[in-house]
Amino acid sequence: MATTGRSPQLLVFLLCFSSSTLIVVLGQREVPSALVSLSNVTDQFALLSFKSLVTKDPYNVLSNWNSNISVCDWTGVSCGRRSHRIVALDLSGKALEGTLSPSISNLSFLKGFDLTNNSFHGHLPIDFSCLPQLEFLQISYNNFGGLIPQTLSHCLRLQALSAMKNDFYGSIPEFLGSLPELKFLNLFGNRLTGTIPVTFANLSKLDTVDVGINHLHGNIPSELGRITRLRWFGVAVNNLTGTLPESLFNISTLQELSLMTNQLTGHLPKDVGRFLPNLQVLAISDNNLDGPFRPSFSNATSVQVISAGHNKFSGPIPIELGSLTQLRRLYLESNMLTNVPGNRELSILTSLTNCRLLEDVDLSQNLLNGILPASVGNLTTTLWSLWIDSNLIEGTIPMALANLTKLVSLHLSTNKINGLIPPNIGQMHSLQVLLLDNNALEGPIPLSIYQLVRLYSFDIGHNMLIGSISSSINNLTNLQRLDLSSNNLSSTLPPGLFELKGLWQLELQDNSFIGHLPLDLGNFAMMTNMDISANKLSGELPASLSKLQMVEHLNLSWNTFDGHIPQQLDYMVNIKAIDFSHNKLSGEIPKSLEKLQHIQVLNLSFNMLEGEIPSDGKFANLSADSFLGNYALCGPPKFHVPLCLDKTNRQSKSNVARVIAACAIGGSALLVIVCTLIGISCYRKRGLSKRPDDIERLRGITLPVSAKADVYSYGILLLEMFTGRKPTDEQFDGDFSLRQWVAEAFPVAISDVIDSHLLNESNTTPTERSAAMNELLVMIMEIGLSCSRVSPNERMDMKEVLLVFLLYFSSFTLVVVLGQREVPSALVSLSNVTDQFALQSFKSLVTKDPYKVLSNWNSNISFCDWNGVSCSRGSRRVVALNLSEKALEGTLTPYISNLSFLQVLDLSKDNFHGNLPIDFSHLPWLEKLSIWRNHFEGLIPQTLSHCHHLQVLLAAENDFYGSIPEFLGSLPELKFLNFYDNKLTGTIPVTFANLSKLEHLNIGQNQKHGNIPSELGSLTHIRMFSVEMNNLTGTLPDSLFNLSSLQELSFMTNQLTGHLPKDVGRFLPNLQLLAMSDNNFDGPFPPFSNATSVQSISAGYNKFSGPIPLELGSLTQLRRLYLHHNMLTNVPGNLELSILTSFTNCRLLEDVILANNLLNGILPTSVGNLTTTLWRLYLSSNLIEGTIPLALANLTELISLDLRFNKIKGLIPPNIGSMNRLQVLGLSGNALEGSIPDSLYQLVRMYLFLIQQNMLIGSISSSISNLTSLRGLHLSSNNLSSMLPPGLCELKDLVDLQLQDNSFTGHLPLCLGNFATMITMDISANNLRGEFPASLSKLQMLKYLNLSRKRI
């Protein structure tokens, strides 16, 4: 055509005119083929232009787009019958990649354009004003970006706009509200900002609108209540504020309303549900809604799902919810909901017995009181999950609970339940999770529990159970987590316990188990956490501990183990924490422990160890606390033990101290004081100028001679005399001083720092010394510490010293000399009226105390003995108030400010609310403030700036708002800072960079914006850094990846962009967790090969491209890798999917998700060499070719395998039955051939089996009846034939059955009524015949039934 010089438009005109003449004038019914071949040059040119910009076409979909055939016969193209103009282009799900051609604008007859689920990117260059006929635009699941085109306003016939899961930004255009035919609008999962357009209210035909998972703010317009045909309204996961418009709850057509995960406030409308007869799903969780949960929901008679957790709803759960006969799922967790007042039984459970379709109930973390009714056993058998933990439930567990034989998960933990575990609990044979911990259960563990063979998580810790663990525990072969801690269990540990090869967490601490550990612990190959501390176990530690190569935390403390520490513990290559303290271990510390690369905690204190402490490897990072109470150890000064090379050079400098001790033991108070003051006087007369550093050095401070300096000198001298150490000794270097050394041991381990000559030369017996001498030493050392404080104004004066000496010594004389066992109450009553008043004021504002924790807070006993109160031994001042997890409710009194000696305030996991009225400037010694998981609100108090000793600030899961104060960056001792899950706004303070000791920083799930300050790269001690789930923007600062101490780094779910630093991981040798999913990162994914400690990498839902680096295979500690939903590829030129071969070196790998990428190549045989710890492997929605290798069946521990939507061909491996732990198998959307192998019917644990859309032949075996756990069976779109086997009807738990589009013959089985839980059944497009069986009427839960295109 180019040679003729004529335009395509002229040819089109001539063509159209010729066709019209033949059809209309001459009466010809069809356009002649000669003219058809010339049908539409413009449309053909547009499509060829489209094809030219497609860079990847893995399925060769566009291979027939050529001049050999008519454009109307090209794949995905539909033309009008007469005009032969293109009216639809459908290329959905073809894995195409590239950009769009603007020539699409020339398809002027186009009505439908569908590119769903491809990998197109770039802007939309289409001029939609040229497409006036367009009715359907579907471009979801691509990577389109830019603004939504303004020209769409011309598409006045547009009925559906689906653009979910792209990267469109900017605001939602107002003009969308002027498209009169629009019925379906889906912009879910983009980066749209701004507000919800009020113009949507003009869309009178609108059926569906979903703008969830964007960055929208502002209110939900009340005008939207005018959309009278609306069925679906979704604005979930945005930043919307304000109250819920009542008009929204008047749209009677609504079927699904999703407002979850925003910042919405206020009460629910009073008549909510009254005008919603068609509502099926209500999702309002994760907001700040409060007030009562309305009984009027009972009018929404079609509702199936109510999700309202994580709000502030209060008052009783309305029993009217029991009238919702269609209800399947009810989630009201994490509110402040109660039982109906006056009802002894938990009435909501009785009410829910009317909901016969109920599947899942979560009422946990509320204030539900009352007892479990016997009617709980009448709940429907469709119920599979019941969570009512973390409430105030009392009474016993009714026997009738065991009627719930289909229950899979039961959570009753953290209540006040007492009595026995029901002996018939073994009837609940479907149970996989059973949590009864933190109650007051009594009696033995019933034998029937050992019949729950599907159980994989069993927790009955923190009860009052007695008896033994039965040898039948070896029946629980699926058990992965077992917690029996903090009970009164006794006897020996049964050998059957050590046969549970899948166990990865074992908690047996705080019981009375006796006997030895078995010699062979090697069966625990999966074990990561083992705690058997605080029992009565004895004997030597077995050498087989070294076989626990996956273990990370091992605690055997507080037993009576003896013998040596096994030499081979360095084989425990993943160990992070070992606690062998408080045993009778002897011998030397094995030098082989220096080889432990990941050890962070090693506690060997209070044993009988001897010899030199190793100093290489991770020992260089350990502190003196690891070795306390082992008197024969020696080593570097930092461990506060004698030097090994100079064992004789510890001459005593404590002659005066011996005199004082002798006087004290002799009983003369006056002599104690006189001797001490004489010692001070003599010491001072020698001249301060001669030894200023010895006497007055503390953190580099040199003091002027004064009365306060005398007190300071007195304090330091006391410490020096009684420890036999000088401030200038070699072990005291830099910030570590004599005073600090004593303070760390005070008061529990004070004998560890006392000069051994004092203890050895005392005439007292060991028993007397432990009671009398230790009491006196604590008293004297407390005075020494008080007198030597840094600030002169905080020191005692000499008069106070004298009074304290008299008070303490009087008490000491009464206790030791006169044999009185306790300090007289008269002396105690003098201790501190101020502190007692402050505590009584605290109690007066506590409105609820369900556990009666404060019942002993009265004048009958000393306030130091009140629950939760700890006092210093000498001054009897309150130093700690710990009332965590007591379910207390109320507000705080400002009189807490008067507890001026307070070091620890812990109110975590209670229900306090209101502001923090404490004047923290009066609490200068505060070291730990823990108030997380309450309902505190308001600004963070400015007075916290005075707490210069503060080390720990935990305020997560509250409602603090405003910005994070800059002054927090000036607290020099701060190590832990956690404000996770509040309402904090503003930016991240740059002053945090000043916190040189900071180890833990978590400000995730707030509303922070702006960049991550690069200055934070100066936090050289930081171990955990999390800013996840905020609105942060910009790129990642390189400096953050230079923090070599980092162990956990999380900035997922933000709006961060750009490439990752080129050398990321190079300076992160200790990094264990990296979470950066749900951002907009792009560019190549770095190798991370130098981050040798990394265990988890989460980088899904980004835009990473290029090959997955093979260097990831060198990460030997890697357990979890999530790279799904990116654009990652195989290594170029490799026929096999080489990353899988690389992963065979990762022997701890558990979970790999590489789905929704562009991975090509075949599955290598080496996939069978992946570690047996792997339980999930997702490779779906890629471009994988070839066959499934037989070696895949070697992965016998795999639970979930997803290979769907690839290009895999050949047979399903005949040995697949070897994968006997498989629960999920996804092979659909491939080109698999042959029959379903018989061994597949051996996978008895499988509950989801997906092989639809393949080319399988043959029949369904009668052995399918073996798959009794099956809930979903998808065999559709194959070439399967023969009759449906009767065994299919034995799968009574089946919920979803898809057999359509096959060649099944015969009749429908008469036993269809067995499918009592069936929701979806599609057997259409087969060759079935005969009558409909009457048993179809028994499918009462059925929601979707398709039996079309048969001969029935």
Side-chain angles (χ1 to χ4, degrees):
M1 291 181 62
T3 59
T4 64
R6 296 182 175 87
S7 68
Q9 285 78 6
L10 177 60
L11 289 174
V12 169
F13 173 77
L14 292 173
L15 174 64
C16 293
F17 183 78
S18 303
S19 301
S20 175
T21 302
L22 287 166
I23 294 173
V24 178
V25 180
L26 302 181
Q28 193 162 323
R29 293 184 178 274
E30 295 183 1
V31 180
S33 58
L35 288 176
V36 170
S37 64
L38 298 172
S39 61
N40 199 304
V41 177
T42 303
D43 287 3
Q44 183 171 355
F45 174 78
L47 292 184
L48 291 174
S49 178
F50 172 92
K51 178 181 180 181
S52 69
L53 295 182
V54 172
T55 56
K56 288 188 179 178
D57 178 11
Y59 298 147
N60 294 321
V61 174
L62 308 183
S63 60
N64 72 340
W65 282 30
N66 55 60
S67 58
N68 294 330
I69 59 175
S70 167
V71 65
C72 294
D73 294 325
W74 291 0
T75 302
V77 176
S78 298
C79 293
R81 180 172 298 177
R82 293 186 174 181
S83 68
H84 287 266
R85 295 296 304 273
I86 294 175
V87 294
L89 181 59
D90 183 356
L91 293 171
S92 59
K94 299 298 188 289
L96 300 174
E97 184 174 337
T99 56
L100 283 193
S101 168
S103 297
I104 293 293
S105 311
N106 294 332
L107 301 176
S108 54
F109 277 60
L110 196 66
K111 294 182 179 181
F113 187 35
D114 192 347
L115 298 180
T116 304
N117 200 12
N118 283 288
S119 296
F120 288 102
H121 58 276
H123 291 199
L124 277 181
I126 303 173
D127 183 353
F128 288 97
S129 65
C130 298
L131 303 178
Q133 308 294 325
L134 192 64
E135 297 178 0
F136 300 94
L137 176 60
Q138 295 165 290
I139 53 174
S140 295
Y141 294 102
N142 280 281
N143 300 302
F144 288 118
L147 302 174
I148 297 174
Q150 184 72 27
T151 55
L152 267 173
S153 61
H154 296 272
C155 298
L156 300 181
R157 296 187 182 184
L158 193 66
Q159 299 180 33
L161 171 57
S162 179
M164 67 183 294
K165 286 293 182 180
N166 281 284
D167 291 307
F168 291 111
Y169 52 79
S171 59
I172 300 175
E174 296 280 339
F175 69 72
L176 291 179
S178 63
L179 300 177
E181 302 298 320
L182 197 60
K183 297 178 181 179
F184 186 94
L185 176 62
N186 193 337
L187 301 176
F188 177 92
N190 282 277
R191 292 191 283 152
L192 298 169
T193 54
T195 59
I196 301 173
V198 180
T199 58
F200 281 0
N202 302 327
L203 300 173
S204 59
K205 296 183 179 181
L206 196 61
D207 174 278
T208 297
V209 57
D210 193 345
V211 292
I213 308 191
N214 280 286
H215 308 301
L216 303 175
H217 63 267
N219 297 344
I220 300 174
S222 60
E223 292 84 350
L224 300 185
R226 302 203 306 259
I227 310 176
T228 56
R229 298 184 181 182
L230 196 62
R231 291 189 303 114
W232 177 305
F233 182 73
V235 293
V237 196
N238 279 287
N239 300 314
L240 299 174
T241 54
T243 57
L244 297 176
E246 291 193 27
S247 60
L248 209 58
F249 295 90
N250 296 329
I251 304 175
S252 60
T253 55
L254 263 181
Q255 295 181 14
E256 182 158 341
L257 179 59
S258 179
L259 314 173
M260 58 186 280
T261 315
N262 280 285
Q263 303 165 41
L264 300 169
T265 55
H267 293 18
L268 291 175
K270 187 175 182 180
D271 291 331
V272 64
R274 183 178 177 185
F275 304 108
L276 297 174
N278 297 300
L279 189 68
Q280 297 178 17
V281 176
L282 175 67
I284 53 176
S285 59
D286 290 281
N287 280 287
N288 295 306
L289 302 171
D290 54 21
F293 196 75
R294 303 294 188 186
S296 55
F297 269 117
S298 59
N299 295 310
T301 53
S302 300
V303 78
Q304 299 179 24
V305 178
I306 297 177
S307 177
H310 296 277
N311 279 289
K312 300 176 183 176
F313 291 117
S314 57
I317 300 178
I319 58 176
E320 290 84 350
L321 294 180
S323 66
L324 299 173
T325 57
Q326 303 301 309
L327 190 63
R328 298 174 184 272
R329 291 179 285 279
L330 177 63
Y331 306 127
L332 297 178
E333 76 280 3
S334 296
N335 281 287
M336 296 180 282
L337 297 165
T338 63
N339 192 14
V340 175
N343 282 22
R344 175 167 170 72
E345 292 186 338
L346 193 54
S347 49
I348 184 61
L349 294 181
T350 302
S351 174
L352 291 176
T353 58
N354 299 315
C355 304
R356 305 313 296 169
L357 304 180
L358 207 57
E359 300 171 358
D360 194 0
V361 175
D362 190 349
L363 307 178
S364 62
Q365 296 181 350
N366 278 286
L367 301 174
L368 296 174
N369 56 319
I371 65 174
L372 292 174
S375 59
V376 72
N378 297 329
L379 289 168
T380 174
T381 55
T382 61
L383 190 67
W384 66 272
S385 179
L386 178 61
W387 292 43
I388 47 178
D389 57 285
S390 301
N391 280 287
L392 309 173
I393 300 170
E394 300 175 304
T396 60
I397 301 174
M399 298 272 288
L401 184 69
N403 294 342
L404 305 180
T405 55
K406 298 294 183 182
L407 205 63
V408 173
S409 186
L410 175 62
H411 296 238
L412 296 177
S413 57
T414 317
N415 280 289
K416 300 166 68 178
I417 301 171
N418 55 34
L420 304 176
I421 300 174
N424 62 340
I425 198 169
Q427 297 175 14
M428 305 175 74
H429 53 85
S430 297
L431 268 184
Q432 297 180 25
V433 177
L434 176 59
L435 306 183
L436 304 175
D437 54 287
N438 287 283
N439 282 288
L441 296 169
E442 303 168 327
I445 302 172
L447 291 177
S448 68
I449 269 188
Y450 304 108
Q451 299 169 15
L452 302 175
V453 294
R454 298 184 181 181
L455 210 59
Y456 71 80
S457 182
F458 180 31
D459 190 345
I460 52 174
H462 296 272
N463 281 287
M464 298 183 288
L465 299 169
I466 59 173
S468 61
I469 304 174
S470 169
S471 58
S472 301
I473 197 169
N474 61 356
N475 293 336
L476 306 182
T477 54
N478 288 310
L479 207 58
Q480 298 177 24
R481 180 177 176 269
L482 176 63
D483 190 341
L484 310 180
S485 63
S486 299
N487 281 285
N488 298 314
L489 299 170
S490 55
S491 80
T492 57
L493 299 176
L497 175 64
F498 301 94
E499 297 176 18
L500 304 178
K501 298 180 180 180
L503 210 58
W504 58 264
Q505 181 176 349
L506 178 63
E507 306 275 351
L508 302 178
Q509 68 270 24
D510 197 17
N511 280 287
S512 299
F513 293 116
I514 59 174
H516 298 212
L517 286 178
L519 293 178
D520 188 6
L521 295 174
N523 281 345
F524 285 155
M526 308 285 290
M527 186 67 68
T528 58
N529 295 280
M530 182 191 290
D531 192 341
I532 318 182
S533 62
N535 280 286
K536 299 177 181 178
L537 297 169
S538 58
E540 297 186 356
L541 298 180
S544 60
L545 281 172
S546 62
K547 296 181 180 179
L548 306 181
Q549 296 187 14
M550 289 187 64
V551 75
E552 296 179 0
H553 300 91
L554 176 63
N555 191 345
L556 303 178
S557 64
W558 293 96
N559 282 285
T560 56
F561 292 116
D562 54 25
H564 293 186
I565 299 174
Q567 290 287 335
Q568 299 88 357
L569 292 189
D570 58 303
Y571 292 174
M572 301 164 69
V573 293
N574 292 294
I575 195 73
K576 296 178 182 176
I578 295 176
D579 192 345
F580 291 163
S581 65
H582 295 277
N583 280 288
K584 298 180 180 179
L585 300 173
S586 58
E588 296 187 351
I589 300 173
K591 197 167 179 60
S592 59
L593 295 183
E594 293 176 335
K595 300 177 184 178
L596 297 175
Q597 296 296 312
H598 305 288
I599 195 75
Q600 298 168 16
V601 176
L602 178 62
N603 191 350
L604 303 178
S605 61
F606 300 100
N607 280 285
M608 296 182 288
L609 299 169
E610 60 187 36
E612 184 174 5
I613 298 174
S615 56
D616 292 336
K618 296 293 183 179
F619 276 79
N621 300 329
L622 299 178
S623 69
D625 294 340
S626 299
F627 310 105
L628 290 173
N630 291 281
Y631 298 109
L633 289 175
C634 62
K638 65 174 243 174
F639 293 137
H640 306 169
V641 295
L643 294 172
C644 295
L645 299 179
D646 190 7
K647 298 179 181 178
T648 62
N649 192 23
R650 286 196 66 208
Q651 59 178 355
S652 173
K653 294 185 169 101
S654 54
N655 293 326
V656 179
R658 292 176 198 160
V659 173
I660 294 174
C663 293
I665 299 302
S668 172
L670 181 60
L671 190 56
V672 171
I673 299 166
V674 170
C675 291
T676 305
L677 294 179
I678 289 173
I680 292 292
S681 177
C682 294
Y683 204 91
R684 294 287 290 173
K685 286 180 180 178
R686 293 211 304 260
L688 291 174
S689 60
K690 296 180 181 179
R691 297 182 60 202
D693 291 334
D694 282 13
I695 302 173
E696 304 187 359
R697 189 185 72 180
L698 180 66
R699 297 179 182 168
I701 298 175
T702 303
L703 303 172
V705 177
S706 66
K708 288 293 185 179
D710 283 343
V711 173
Y712 180 88
S713 302
Y714 175 74
I716 292 295
L717 184 59
L718 272 181
L719 303 182
E720 185 176 345
M721 288 189 300
F722 280 85
T723 61
R725 305 290 176 93
K726 293 166 55 178
T728 53
D729 283 353
E730 184 180 353
Q731 75 180 90
F732 307 124
D733 186 24
D735 289 337
F736 188 69
S737 63
L738 170 63
R739 186 185 187 280
Q740 185 177 348
W741 180 54
V742 175
E744 288 180 357
F746 182 85
V748 177
I750 198 65
S751 60
D752 291 345
V753 300
I754 298 299
D755 188 351
S756 59
H757 292 81
L758 274 179
L759 300 176
N760 294 335
E761 293 179 14
S762 169
N763 293 325
T764 57
T765 66
T767 302
E768 291 170 332
R769 185 165 66 232
S770 62
M773 186 68 164
N774 196 66
E775 183 74 20
L776 179 62
L777 293 173
V778 168
M779 174 196 78
I780 293 173
M781 300 310 263
E782 184 174 26
I783 295 173
L785 292 171
S786 297
C787 291
S788 57
R789 287 177 176 154
V790 177
S791 173
N793 295 328
E794 295 172 356
R795 299 176 196 148
M796 306 169 72
D797 59 31
M798 291 310 296
K799 291 180 181 179
E800 290 176 319
V801 172
L802 182 60
L803 288 173
V804 172
F805 253 127
L806 287 173
L807 176 63
Y808 284 177
F809 189 78
S810 299
S811 302
F812 177 76
T813 302
L814 286 167
V815 173
V816 177
V817 179
L818 301 182
Q820 192 163 324
R821 292 185 177 275
E822 297 181 358
V823 179
S825 59
L827 286 173
V828 173
S829 65
L830 295 174
S831 56
N832 203 301
V833 177
T834 305
D835 287 6
Q836 183 170 350
F837 175 78
L839 295 177
Q840 288 171 334
S841 178
F842 173 90
K843 179 181 178 181
S844 69
L845 294 182
V846 173
T847 56
K848 288 187 180 178
D849 179 11
Y851 299 147
K852 301 189 183 307
V853 175
L854 308 184
S855 59
N856 73 339
W857 282 35
N858 55 59
S859 57
N860 295 330
I861 59 174
S862 166
F863 68 83
C864 290
D865 296 323
W866 290 357
N867 289 335
V869 178
S870 299
C871 294
S872 59
R873 184 171 295 181
S875 66
R876 309 293 282 174
R877 296 296 304 273
V878 176
V879 294
L881 181 59
N882 187 345
L883 294 170
S884 63
E885 297 189 69
K886 300 298 186 291
L888 299 175
E889 186 172 334
T891 56
L892 285 193
T893 173
Y895 287 102
I896 292 290
S897 312
N898 292 338
L899 300 176
S900 55
F901 275 58
L902 197 65
Q903 297 175 22
V904 175
L905 177 59
D906 192 345
L907 302 177
S908 56
K909 299 174 76 172
D910 282 305
N911 290 305
F912 288 102
H913 58 275
N915 292 359
L916 276 182
I918 302 172
D919 185 349
F920 289 98
S921 65
H922 294 166
L923 303 179
W925 299 106
L926 193 65
E927 296 179 358
K928 178 180 179 180
L929 175 60
S930 180
I931 53 174
W932 63 284
R933 197 174 289 177
N934 279 279
H935 302 285
F936 289 116
E937 58 186 24
L939 301 174
I940 299 169
Q942 184 72 26
T943 55
L944 269 171
S945 61
H946 296 272
C947 298
H948 295 295
H949 292 279
L950 194 64
Q951 298 180 30
V952 177
L953 175 53
L954 305 178
E957 299 182 56
N958 281 286
D959 293 308
F960 290 111
Y961 52 77
S963 59
I964 299 177
E966 297 281 338
F967 70 72
L968 291 178
S970 63
L971 299 178
E973 302 298 321
L974 201 59
K975 296 180 180 178
F976 289 84
L977 179 60
N978 193 333
F979 280 116
Y980 179 84
D981 193 10
N982 280 277
K983 302 177 187 175
L984 298 169
T985 55
T987 58
I988 302 173
V990 179
T991 57
F992 281 176
N994 302 327
L995 300 174
S996 59
K997 296 184 179 181
L998 196 64
E999 298 178 10
H1000 181 111
L1001 175 62
N1002 190 345
I1003 53 175
Q1005 200 163 327
N1006 279 284
Q1007 300 157 31
K1008 310 298 293 180
H1009 62 266
N1011 296 344
I1012 300 174
S1014 60
E1015 291 84 352
L1016 298 186
S1018 63
L1019 299 175
T1020 54
H1021 289 91
I1022 196 78
R1023 291 187 294 113
M1024 192 275 189
F1025 180 84
S1026 176
V1027 293
E1028 65 187 40
M1029 301 175 72
N1030 279 285
N1031 299 314
L1032 299 173
T1033 54
T1035 58
L1036 291 177
D1038 287 7
S1039 60
L1040 209 58
F1041 294 91
N1042 295 330
L1043 297 173
S1044 60
S1045 57
L1046 262 179
Q1047 296 178 14
E1048 185 169 335
L1049 180 58
S1050 178
F1051 32 78
M1052 67 181 198
T1053 315
N1054 280 284
Q1055 303 170 40
L1056 299 167
T1057 57
H1059 291 20
L1060 292 182
K1062 187 177 181 180
D1063 292 332
V1064 64
R1066 181 178 178 186
F1067 304 108
L1068 298 174
N1070 297 300
L1071 189 67
Q1072 298 175 18
L1073 183 147
L1074 176 64
M1076 53 183 176
S1077 58
D1078 289 282
N1079 280 284
N1080 295 304
F1081 296 122
D1082 53 22
F1085 193 75
F1088 281 103
S1089 55
N1090 294 310
T1092 53
S1093 300
V1094 77
Q1095 299 179 20
S1096 178
I1097 297 176
S1098 176
Y1101 289 103
N1102 281 288
K1103 301 175 184 176
F1104 291 116
S1105 57
I1108 300 179
L1110 300 183
E1111 291 84 350
L1112 293 177
S1114 66
L1115 301 175
T1116 57
Q1117 303 301 308
L1118 191 63
R1119 296 173 184 271
R1120 292 172 290 277
L1121 179 64
Y1122 307 129
L1123 298 179
H1124 51 101
H1125 289 88
N1126 281 285
M1127 296 179 282
L1128 296 166
T1129 64
N1130 191 16
V1131 175
N1134 282 22
L1135 180 62
E1136 293 186 337
L1137 192 53
S1138 47
I1139 187 62
L1140 294 181
T1141 302
S1142 174
F1143 284 155
T1144 59
N1145 300 315
C1146 304
R1147 305 313 296 168
L1148 305 179
L1149 207 57
E1150 300 171 359
D1151 193 3
V1152 176
I1153 303 182
L1154 306 179
N1156 293 89
N1157 278 287
L1158 301 174
L1159 296 174
N1160 56 317
I1162 65 173
L1163 292 174
T1165 303
S1166 59
V1167 71
N1169 297 329
L1170 289 170
T1171 173
T1172 54
T1173 61
L1174 189 67
W1175 69 270
R1176 180 164 62 176
L1177 179 61
Y1178 280 10
L1179 300 173
S1180 59
S1181 299
N1182 279 287
L1183 308 174
I1184 300 171
E1185 299 175 303
T1187 60
I1188 302 175
L1190 289 170
L1192 184 69
N1194 295 343
L1195 304 181
T1196 54
E1197 301 296 322
L1198 205 63
I1199 293 175
S1200 190
L1201 175 63
D1202 191 355
L1203 299 176
R1204 294 175 301 154
F1205 303 112
N1206 281 286
K1207 301 167 67 177
I1208 300 171
K1209 59 186 180 181
L1211 304 176
I1212 300 175
N1215 60 343
I1216 197 168
S1218 303
M1219 305 173 74
N1220 58 331
R1221 285 185 175 268
L1222 265 187
Q1223 297 179 21
V1224 176
L1225 177 59
L1227 302 175
S1228 45
N1230 283 287
L1232 295 170
E1233 303 167 329
S1235 59
I1236 302 173
D1238 289 339
S1239 70
L1240 195 143
Y1241 302 107
Q1242 300 169 16
L1243 302 177
V1244 295
R1245 301 183 185 183
M1246 192 153 59
Y1247 70 82
L1248 191 59
F1249 179 31
L1250 312 173
I1251 55 171
Q1252 73 267 34
Q1253 296 177 32
N1254 280 287
M1255 297 182 288
L1256 298 171
I1257 60 174
S1259 60
I1260 304 174
S1261 169
S1262 59
S1263 300
I1264 198 170
S1265 59
N1266 295 336
L1267 307 183
T1268 54
S1269 298
L1270 209 58
R1271 286 175 172 262
L1273 177 61
H1274 292 193
L1275 309 180
S1276 60
S1277 300
N1278 280 286
N1279 298 315
L1280 299 171
S1281 57
S1282 79
M1283 296 189 296
L1284 298 177
L1288 189 65
C1289 292
E1290 297 179 25
L1291 306 181
K1292 297 180 180 181
D1293 291 335
L1294 208 57
V1295 173
D1296 188 2
L1297 177 63
Q1298 306 274 341
L1299 302 179
Q1300 68 270 25
D1301 197 16
N1302 278 287
S1303 300
F1304 293 116
T1305 59
H1307 297 243
L1308 284 176
L1310 297 176
C1311 55
L1312 286 180
N1314 287 353
F1315 292 142
T1317 60
M1318 185 70 71
I1319 295 174
T1320 300
M1321 182 189 293
D1322 192 340
I1323 319 182
S1324 61
N1326 279 286
N1327 297 318
L1328 297 170
R1329 62 181 67 220
E1331 296 183 354
F1332 288 122
S1335 58
L1336 279 173
S1337 62
K1338 296 181 180 180
L1339 305 182
Q1340 297 183 12
M1341 291 186 64
L1342 199 64
K1343 184 177 178 181
Y1344 179 86
L1345 175 64
N1346 189 351
L1347 302 176
S1348 63
R1349 290 189 289 166
K1350 297 183 178 66
R1351 300 177 184 177
I1352 298 175

